Amino acid sequence: MAQLRQDYQEFVDRQAVIVVVGPEDRQAFKQYWEKEQLPFIGLADPQHQVADMYGQQVKWLKLGRMPSLMIIDKRGFIRYWHYANAMSDIPRNQELFDILDTLNQQSAT
Amino acid sequence: MSIQDQTSQAPDFTLVDTHDQAVELSDFRDHNHVILVFNRGFF
């Protein structure tokens, strides 16, 4: 997440919010969030409610396994996803910027 | 990967954020794109 924080303003400039869902209980999650002073929206999901729901969605989309990151456009459609791999959990920021730029251009036409 | 068409709606959900406020995914509709990160755990 450090890389997302590093370029946080660039995401804001592209009309994106960053929402992080984690498996910790609410208190542990909040303590970590405040300690790290993360600017993103942090959502504790200790019951795995959202993780399970998106896991089901994954099967419906025939993705094979749970993505580590998704981009959802302003109309609520899933437009991009990425799987965690051995090298890194999320894609390079530039790849995300390019996608956001394209979404913004598409909606402008 | 390339950008997907607008065919799959993201399932809506509500969770509580670190300011103890309920956040619903559809709150962002018409306002922001959402980069949704599934973190496997901090510790």
Side-chain angles (χ1 to χ4, degrees):
Chain A
M1 287 189 290
Q3 71 171 76
L4 295 177
R5 172 163 50 178
Q6 205 168 339
D7 290 334
Y8 180 66
Q9 189 56 45
E10 297 233 29
F11 290 102
V12 173
D13 290 346
R14 290 172 170 82
Q15 299 162 57
V17 295
I18 298 172
V19 176
V20 180
V21 176
E24 290 80 10
D25 68 58
R26 204 179 288 176
Q27 187 168 351
F29 195 104
K30 187 174 177 174
Q31 279 177 358
Y32 182 85
W33 217 251
E34 288 171 354
K35 174 169 168 279
E36 298 294 318
Q37 298 187 312
L38 296 172
F40 327 124
I41 295 168
L43 304 177
D45 184 27
Q47 312 297 324
H48 321 126
Q49 166 207 341
V50 175
D52 287 349
M53 185 167 61
Y54 273 73
Q56 292 302 313
Q57 176 78 358
V58 159
K59 291 195 181 88
W60 184 74
L61 289 170
K62 297 186 171 62
L63 295 183
R65 57 193 171 100
M66 186 79 172
S68 60
L69 181 151
M70 298 175 128
I71 296 182
I72 299 161
D73 70 14
K74 287 185 188 177
R75 302 215 25 239
F77 290 102
I78 300 169
R79 307 298 301 276
Y80 170 89
W81 55 79
H82 174 83
Y83 299 113
N85 54 44
M87 296 293 287
S88 67
D89 278 325
I90 59 178
R92 291 177 306 117
N93 284 358
Q94 190 57 53
E95 186 169 353
L96 301 175
F97 297 153
D98 290 344
I99 291 161
L100 292 170
D101 287 339
T102 302
L103 293 181
N104 287 331
Q105 282 161 24
Q106 282 178 356
S107 60
T109 55
Chain B
M1 56 167 276
S2 55
I3 296 177
Q4 300 300 299
D5 293 334
Q6 288 179 315
T7 50
S8 300
Q9 280 267 325
D12 202 9
F13 61 82
T14 304
L15 289 173
V16 176
D17 72 8
T18 51
H19 302 287
D20 301 322
Q21 300 298 307
V23 172
E24 190 169 0
L25 180 65
S26 53
D27 289 345
F28 301 106
R29 190 81 56 90
D30 300 322
H31 298 289
N32 296 101
H33 311 293
V34 176
I35 298 182
L36 184 60
V37 179
F38 290 100
N39 205 53
R40 288 179 296 182
F42 304 130
F43 313 111

